[in-house]
Amino acid sequence: MEWQLNDAQNLALIDREIGDYKFSPAQYEIVRQVIYATGDFEYKSLIRFSDRALPAGAAALAARSTIIVDVPMVQVGITVPIQKTFANPIYCSADSNNWSHKDKSNSAAWEIETLARKYPEAIFVISQGQAVLTALLELIEAEEIRPALVIGTPAGFIDVDVAKQRLNDSNVPHIRIDGRKGNAVVATAIINGLVELAWQAYGHDNQG
């Protein structure tokens, strides 16, 4: 199909232009998906993987762990790949009526806390809003939850670097984007890349 050929051509171009890197083959598959989705080679130097991020995330997907996302854009972007593979439940913290609250950042943080307490070992995808990532980290640091994986890609200028450093220090398996960049497109590319890797590793165990 034409779109598949176009994908292959674009990924091949990334392979030619990316230069030297120190990623493992599995990590590189995710990095090139992020670059493909954004058109931005700078993510090569911004993406970080904790030691157990990929095996922990893949195992959680194969176990059909719940996935919690912070915005509908990510939910829409990952639903089809998830439905075609492990069929994990996906919940979005933005689905609540509380989003009509005037202080949307506080409402979003409250909603992620509520879902986190209900699904303490879920996969969390936080793509927008430092406040939401901070709320999740506070639960982790208080040992109220133990996520299988956290993907943190919020952009921002104030305190976002602090939140990302806290994620780094959390000892929870995670994939993050350092610096000021990041968004829902990046988060979606990361989780979809991880789904593809996990399906290659575990898909035969989930057929039927």
Side-chain angles (χ1 to χ4, degrees), residues 7-166:
D7 284 346
Q9 290 172 334
N10 278 284
L11 292 172
L13 187 149
I14 291 170
D15 294 339
R16 291 195 298 270
E17 295 189 10
I18 196 168
D20 295 334
Y21 59 85
K22 296 182 179 179
F23 301 111
S24 70
Q27 290 172 344
Y28 177 67
E29 288 303 316
I30 291 180
V31 173
R32 74 204 287 250
Q33 290 295 335
V34 170
I35 294 171
Y36 183 22
T38 62
D40 190 345
F41 277 92
E42 189 177 353
Y43 281 106
K44 168 189 168 184
S45 62
L46 298 178
I47 192 166
R48 299 288 185 271
F49 300 86
S50 72
D51 290 341
R52 298 175 291 115
L54 296 189
L61 286 168
R64 293 189 168 90
S65 296
T66 297
I67 301 171
I68 296 174
V69 305
D70 61 338
V71 294
M73 181 176 177
V74 176
Q75 185 175 27
V76 170
I78 71 174
T79 293
V80 171
I82 288 293
Q83 288 177 340
K84 289 182 176 180
T85 54
F86 301 105
N88 306 67
I90 305 171
Y91 297 102
C92 180
S93 63
D95 286 342
S96 170
N97 292 331
N98 284 322
W99 272 82
S100 62
H101 193 283
K102 290 182 180 180
D103 190 345
K104 290 189 176 181
S105 64
N106 286 341
S107 179
W110 184 87
E111 289 301 331
I112 209 74
E113 289 174 7
T114 300
L115 285 169
R117 288 191 171 97
K118 188 173 182 179
Y119 304 102
E121 298 181 353
I123 298 169
F124 292 87
V125 185
I126 310 300
S127 64
Q128 296 182 8
Q130 169 268 330
V132 179
L133 180 57
T134 297
L136 185 69
L137 287 165
E138 288 174 355
L139 294 177
I140 292 170
E141 291 165 357
E143 299 184 353
E144 294 186 41
I145 64 171
R146 185 66 181 181
L149 178 72
V150 176
I151 296 172
T153 69
F157 294 93
I158 299 175
D159 292 335
V160 70
D161 54 337
V162 175
K164 290 176 178 179
Q165 184 58 47
R166 286 173 69 182

